[in-house]
């Protein structure tokens, strides 16, 4: 069965960086884009960006361009999302999600990683 | 940038029909999908390509999309349906979510 297992919660200071991992299993990792979505406390879902694990190609929401980088390691079926220059409003749960090109949906989601930015 | 607008909250009595709307410019020209999220859990897809239900989603969930509005309809709403619901569409290759609607079953 498809599983996306994310790394554990992080606490960071403003200005620091954080890198969240998402290990995929149960499907062809290079066969599906991996998207990243975040959710601030008590707020809605916000799409951040994606990676094509096969080519390494990425695209990002305009809001995150220049501050967010998504990468992958195909040898271990893992995607990574790094946010630099963290601010307090980056405090959120970050999700990875497998994109299905057939249905154009995010079919499987990781369990989420809470990133807290606090001085 | 493209935007999707949802009502913040909808209330429904058990057994009645709940309708949650999602508005966006010419949304009917794109596919809309809907995610359900319960407290402390990851989102779950309940409707895709406007009207289709993934396997395992009850038949009481249905969807439509025309003009500027997509609608998620839950017939015979049950207490277990109480959750936040998000519509989502694609603007080129960029994902766009609505602000979410809290469905209360009371």
């Amino acid at each position: 069965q498809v599983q996306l297992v994310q790394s554990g919660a992080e606490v960071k200071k403003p200005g620091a960086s954080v890198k969240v991992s998402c290990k995929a299993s149960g499907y062809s990792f290079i066969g599906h884009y991996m998207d990243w979505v975040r959710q601030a406390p008590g707020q809605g879902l916000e799409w951040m960006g994606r990676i094509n694990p096969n080519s390494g190609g990425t695209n990002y929401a305009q809001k995150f361009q220049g501050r967010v980088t998504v990468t992958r390691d195909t040898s271990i079926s893992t995607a990574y999302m790094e946010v630099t220059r963290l601010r307090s409003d980056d405090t959120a749960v970050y999700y990875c999600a497998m994109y299905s090109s057939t249905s154009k949906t995010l079919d499987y989601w990781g369990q989420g990683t809470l990133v807290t930015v606090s001085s | 940038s493209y935007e999707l607008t949802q009502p913040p909250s909808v209330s429904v009595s058990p057994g009645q029909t709940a309708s949650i709307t999602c508005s966006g410019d010419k949304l009917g020209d794109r596919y809309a999908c809907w995610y359900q999220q319960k407290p402390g859990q990851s989102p779950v897809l309940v409707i895709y390509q406007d009207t289709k239900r993934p396997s395992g989603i009850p038949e009481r969930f249905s969807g439509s999309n025309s003009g500027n509005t997509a609608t998620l309809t839950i017939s015979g709403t049950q207490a277990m349906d109480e959750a936040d619901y998000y519509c989502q569409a694609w603007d080129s290759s960029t994902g766009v979510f609505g602000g979410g609607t809290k469905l209360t079953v009371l």
Side-chain angles (χ1 to χ4, degrees), chain B residues 12-18 60-61 73-79 81 105:
Chain B
V12 64
S13 300
Q16 299 304 301
T17 296
R60 63 180 180 273
F61 288 85
T73 302
I74 309 173
S75 305
T77 307
Q78 300 183 9
D81 300 329
V105 182

Side-chain angles (χ1 to χ4, degrees), chain A residues 28-107:
Chain A
S28 170
F29 178 68
I30 61 173
H32 297 270
Y33 293 174
M34 188 73 79
D35 289 28
W36 290 85
V37 176
R38 78 176 185 181
Q39 185 171 37
Q43 303 300 308
L45 302 174
E46 185 174 29
W47 189 87
M48 300 178 68
R50 72 167 31 148
I51 188 166
N52 177 342
N54 189 37
S55 67
T58 55
N59 68 286
Y60 303 100
Q62 188 169 9
K63 172 179 180 177
F64 298 107
Q65 284 182 358
R67 209 164 63 89
V68 170
T69 304
V70 179
T71 57
R72 94 294 191 213
D73 183 338
T74 57
S75 70
I76 55 172
S77 299
T78 299
Y80 303 91
M81 190 278 304
E82 182 176 28
V83 184
T84 60
R85 305 191 303 277
L86 285 165
R87 308 185 294 250
S88 57
D89 62 358
D90 290 317
T91 294
V93 175
Y94 290 78
Y95 294 99
C96 60
M98 187 203 86
Y99 175 78
S100 167
S101 59
T102 303
S103 57
K104 298 185 180 0
T105 51
L106 303 175
D107 283 4

